[in-house]
Amino acid sequence: MTAQIIDGKTTAMQVRAELKAKISALPNAPMLAIILVGDDDSSLIYVRNKQKAAAEIGLKTELYHLPKDTDEATILKIIDDCNGNAEVNGIIVQLPLPKHLDTHKIINRILPTKDVDGFHPYNTGMLQNNEKPYFIAATPLGIMKLIQNYCPNLSGKNVVLIGASLIVGRPLATLMLNQECTVSITHIHTRNIKDLTRKADILVAACGVAKLVKADWIKSDSILIDVGINRDNGKICGDIDFDDVIEKAAAITPVPGGVGPMTIAMLLQNTYDAYLIQHSAL
Ligand code: NAD
């Protein structure tokens, strides 16, 4: 049997259409402030995509594009100004930041109620406690939406994550645990990784290694979520070798067209929610 394609692009378009209708009913457009330091090629593309997607549904963005040698105090001042500006509903700092900057210190300066990336310790801590944070990071949130559309009851599922980053693997592990899954988090130092991945009902690859996961890494009829965005001979591909696994898995997210579009849709959703939170409507 050929795996079912979990179509993130279509789901994301539905989310965006619903948001567009809701935003058009607001008295004024929600605003997202984006802080970008330096000229990293991927970051420039990601920021451009976020601005374009926001504009399409009637969200405003304000880009603070700063030189790569900008000092910490300048960035903290911009965050303080945005925190205090009632017209700014959400604030994101495009990561990674240049090495001379303290990422945690900068992220932690954002008000939790404006932290639409969901990286502030208040928001990650509330998620850990299985309480309601203001915001959950967009990529894990989008993945949960895709998985739950496909498989509404996750209780008892064996989930294996490849990658333990702060923006994908760790929050996703918590979200899965909160849905009563049995979760294993693997990373670059994990020994005999295939012994774990072969037991996964749901396998999530978020490690940034092109086509790492082959058919012999997976269990038959598993659900595969591919977060990776890599280039292989100039072509975009994921962390899972799509052609190798397609006849063995039950379902898979494609790259492109899977997790990526959902990440942007969830950021827009979080910004809309931020507006409601700040207008005490949520
Ligand atoms: P990261 O570099 O912060 O973390 C990578 C993780 O993978 C680490 O925990 C590392 O130990 C682990 N890892 C690396 N090589 C491994 C290997 N050979 N075996 C097992 N584990 C390994 O990366 P990140 O920011 O989480 O991003 C991961 C990938 O997901 C990248 O390709 C990135 O572009 C992509 N990404 C996509 C989206 C999206 O919206 N689709 C969002 C965020 C990240």
Side-chain angles (χ1 to χ4, degrees), residues 46 139 162-169 186-190 193 205-209 212 217 226-230 239 259-261 263-264:
Y46 292 142
T139 303
I162 307 176
S165 72
L166 290 173
I167 62 169
V168 188
T186 69
H187 46 78
I188 188 80
H189 303 292
T190 301
I193 193 166
C207 56
V209 183
L212 177 73
W217 285 56
D226 195 348
V227 186
I229 303 174
N230 313 292
D239 293 344
V259 174
T263 296
I264 294 200

XYZ file of all heavy atoms in Angstrom, residues 46 139 162-169 186-190 193 205-209 212 217 226-230 239 259-261 263-264, ligand 1:
288
model
N 12.566 33.184 4.960
C 11.517 32.881 5.936
C 10.747 34.148 6.311
O 9.516 34.141 6.381
C 12.100 32.238 7.206
C 12.653 30.849 6.993
C 13.801 30.425 7.646
C 12.036 29.946 6.133
C 14.332 29.150 7.453
C 12.554 28.675 5.935
C 13.694 28.287 6.592
O 14.198 27.026 6.385
N 5.692 25.529 14.814
C 5.948 24.255 14.110
C 5.322 23.077 14.857
O 4.552 22.307 14.250
C 7.459 24.058 13.879
O 7.953 25.189 13.150
C 7.736 22.800 13.083
N 13.061 12.475 16.205
C 14.493 12.587 15.878
C 14.806 14.079 15.890
O 14.354 14.823 15.019
C 14.824 11.985 14.497
C 14.307 10.548 14.398
C 16.326 12.058 14.240
C 14.508 9.914 13.017
N 15.553 14.520 16.910
C 15.839 15.948 17.066
C 15.220 16.468 18.346
O 14.051 16.195 18.633
N 16.032 17.202 19.111
C 15.594 17.667 20.433
C 15.749 19.177 20.572
O 16.074 19.689 21.634
C 16.408 16.948 21.507
N 15.498 19.902 19.473
C 15.718 21.355 19.534
C 14.636 22.044 20.362
O 13.550 21.491 20.592
C 15.733 21.950 18.124
O 14.435 21.954 17.579
N 14.957 23.276 20.761
C 14.016 24.063 21.563
C 12.793 24.463 20.758
O 11.716 24.670 21.317
C 14.702 25.336 22.079
C 15.771 25.118 23.146
C 16.493 26.415 23.450
C 15.138 24.552 24.412
N 12.958 24.560 19.431
C 11.831 25.077 18.641
C 10.955 23.976 18.059
O 9.838 24.227 17.685
C 12.289 26.047 17.519
C 13.204 25.358 16.512
C 12.987 27.249 18.094
C 13.435 26.220 15.282
N 11.476 22.749 17.980
C 10.653 21.665 17.424
C 10.556 20.480 18.397
O 9.499 20.211 18.978
C 11.178 21.165 16.051
C 10.156 20.186 15.456
C 11.433 22.302 15.079
N 11.661 19.749 18.579
C 11.617 18.464 19.279
C 11.085 18.549 20.701
O 10.184 17.782 21.081
N 15.081 11.368 20.489
C 16.431 10.970 20.099
C 17.169 12.178 19.537
O 16.547 13.182 19.170
C 16.402 9.851 19.041
O 15.902 10.403 17.815
C 15.522 8.687 19.470
N 18.491 12.066 19.481
C 19.310 13.191 19.001
C 20.623 12.639 18.466
O 20.799 11.416 18.358
C 19.517 14.213 20.124
C 19.896 13.592 21.421
N 21.166 13.144 21.676
C 19.140 13.280 22.510
C 21.202 12.605 22.887
N 19.981 12.669 23.413
N 21.545 13.530 18.179
C 22.779 13.134 17.495
C 23.588 12.109 18.309
O 24.322 11.308 17.750
C 23.625 14.396 17.157
C 24.823 14.093 16.268
C 24.084 15.132 18.394
C 24.514 13.962 14.835
N 23.454 12.117 19.637
C 24.230 11.194 20.475
C 23.476 9.899 20.816
O 23.982 9.076 21.587
C 24.650 11.897 21.780
C 25.444 13.142 21.527
N 26.715 13.110 20.997
C 25.137 14.453 21.688
C 27.147 14.348 20.844
N 26.220 15.185 21.264
N 22.281 9.736 20.285
C 21.504 8.522 20.582
C 22.167 7.308 19.938
O 22.520 7.342 18.757
C 20.061 8.675 20.043
O 19.472 9.818 20.662
C 19.232 7.436 20.346
N 19.941 4.156 17.076
C 18.701 4.942 16.910
C 17.606 4.143 16.196
O 16.422 4.272 16.512
C 19.029 6.285 16.192
C 17.860 7.264 16.287
C 19.429 6.085 14.744
C 18.233 8.698 15.916
N 10.686 13.384 12.152
C 12.095 13.655 11.860
C 12.309 15.157 11.787
O 11.732 15.839 10.940
C 12.492 12.991 10.545
N 13.119 15.685 12.717
C 13.407 17.124 12.767
C 14.874 17.301 13.134
O 15.211 17.811 14.196
C 12.508 17.818 13.786
N 15.740 16.837 12.252
C 17.172 16.869 12.564
C 17.990 17.648 11.534
O 19.140 17.991 11.779
C 17.725 15.450 12.700
S 17.437 14.417 11.259
N 17.410 17.940 10.375
C 18.140 18.705 9.367
C 19.197 17.901 8.634
O 20.213 18.445 8.213
N 18.966 16.582 8.486
C 19.883 15.726 7.714
C 19.100 15.148 6.533
O 18.175 14.351 6.734
C 20.454 14.570 8.574
C 21.445 13.744 7.761
C 21.095 15.111 9.852
N 17.711 11.210 5.815
C 18.330 10.319 6.809
C 17.497 9.046 7.028
O 18.037 7.940 7.110
C 18.468 11.072 8.146
C 19.040 10.273 9.314
C 20.539 10.046 9.138
C 18.786 10.992 10.655
N 14.329 2.107 8.756
C 14.244 2.836 10.027
C 12.828 2.772 10.600
O 12.619 3.164 11.744
C 14.571 4.323 9.835
C 15.990 4.671 9.642
C 16.842 4.194 8.683
C 16.752 5.612 10.411
N 18.068 4.790 8.804
C 18.040 5.658 9.858
C 16.455 6.425 11.515
C 19.041 6.475 10.374
C 17.443 7.249 12.025
C 18.734 7.261 11.455
N 7.640 14.754 8.537
C 8.960 15.209 8.104
C 9.068 16.727 8.263
O 8.411 17.491 7.546
C 9.164 14.807 6.635
C 10.625 14.909 6.224
O 11.421 15.494 6.980
O 10.954 14.392 5.139
N 9.885 17.151 9.217
C 10.013 18.584 9.516
C 11.180 19.205 8.732
O 11.198 20.396 8.459
C 10.221 18.798 11.033
C 10.214 20.274 11.392
C 9.143 18.072 11.827
N 12.127 18.386 8.348
C 13.376 18.890 7.748
C 13.166 19.692 6.482
O 12.270 19.411 5.685
N 13.985 20.706 6.334
C 14.046 21.452 5.062
C 15.514 21.460 4.652
O 16.342 22.161 5.258
C 13.525 22.901 5.213
C 12.088 22.910 5.759
C 13.580 23.618 3.865
C 11.545 24.301 6.065
N 15.832 20.639 3.671
C 17.224 20.500 3.235
C 17.284 20.630 1.724
O 16.261 20.601 1.053
C 17.755 19.108 3.614
C 17.434 18.740 5.044
O 17.962 19.337 5.977
N 16.547 17.760 5.235
N 13.946 15.260 5.932
C 14.866 14.372 6.660
C 14.512 12.909 6.414
O 15.209 12.011 6.871
C 14.769 14.654 8.176
C 15.291 16.027 8.542
O 16.001 16.639 7.722
O 14.986 16.501 9.659
N 4.758 20.163 6.656
C 4.865 20.917 7.915
C 5.119 22.417 7.671
O 4.595 23.266 8.398
C 5.990 20.306 8.794
C 6.225 21.148 10.040
C 5.638 18.872 9.170
N 5.900 22.743 6.646
C 6.289 24.145 6.387
C 5.104 25.096 6.306
O 5.051 26.094 7.047
N 4.122 24.838 5.434
C 2.978 25.761 5.347
C 2.196 25.862 6.649
O 1.639 26.924 6.970
C 2.096 25.143 4.253
C 2.939 24.154 3.534
C 4.076 23.766 4.433
N 3.485 25.742 9.657
C 4.232 26.609 10.579
C 3.812 28.062 10.377
O 3.513 28.785 11.342
C 5.749 26.457 10.333
O 6.115 25.118 10.653
C 6.560 27.414 11.188
N 3.747 28.485 9.131
C 3.366 29.880 8.864
C 1.911 30.120 9.275
O 1.592 31.119 9.922
C 3.592 30.223 7.373
C 5.102 30.177 7.104
C 2.996 31.591 7.032
C 5.574 30.901 5.893
P 18.600 22.075 15.322
O 19.886 22.093 14.565
O 18.327 23.114 16.345
O 18.451 20.644 16.033
C 18.682 19.464 15.339
C 18.455 18.293 16.260
O 18.640 17.099 15.505
C 19.433 18.210 17.436
O 18.755 17.763 18.593
C 20.454 17.176 16.981
O 21.056 16.471 18.065
C 19.597 16.255 16.135
N 20.339 15.567 15.093
C 21.169 16.097 14.164
N 21.681 15.133 13.386
C 21.163 13.966 13.820
C 21.317 12.611 13.417
N 22.133 12.250 12.413
N 20.631 11.657 14.079
C 19.798 11.996 15.120
N 19.629 13.257 15.534
C 20.298 14.247 14.895
O 17.474 22.022 14.203
P 15.964 22.575 14.168
O 15.983 24.055 14.215
O 15.099 21.824 15.111
O 15.584 22.134 12.672
C 15.630 20.780 12.261
C 15.210 20.707 10.797
O 13.856 21.156 10.707
C 15.995 21.621 9.861
O 16.060 21.003 8.577
C 15.134 22.873 9.767
O 15.317 23.584 8.551
C 13.768 22.262 9.811
N 12.711 23.134 10.329
C 11.589 23.191 9.588
C 10.536 23.933 10.027
C 9.284 23.950 9.206
O 8.451 24.807 9.389
N 9.111 22.965 8.319
C 10.601 24.669 11.222
C 11.769 24.563 11.981
C 12.823 23.782 11.522
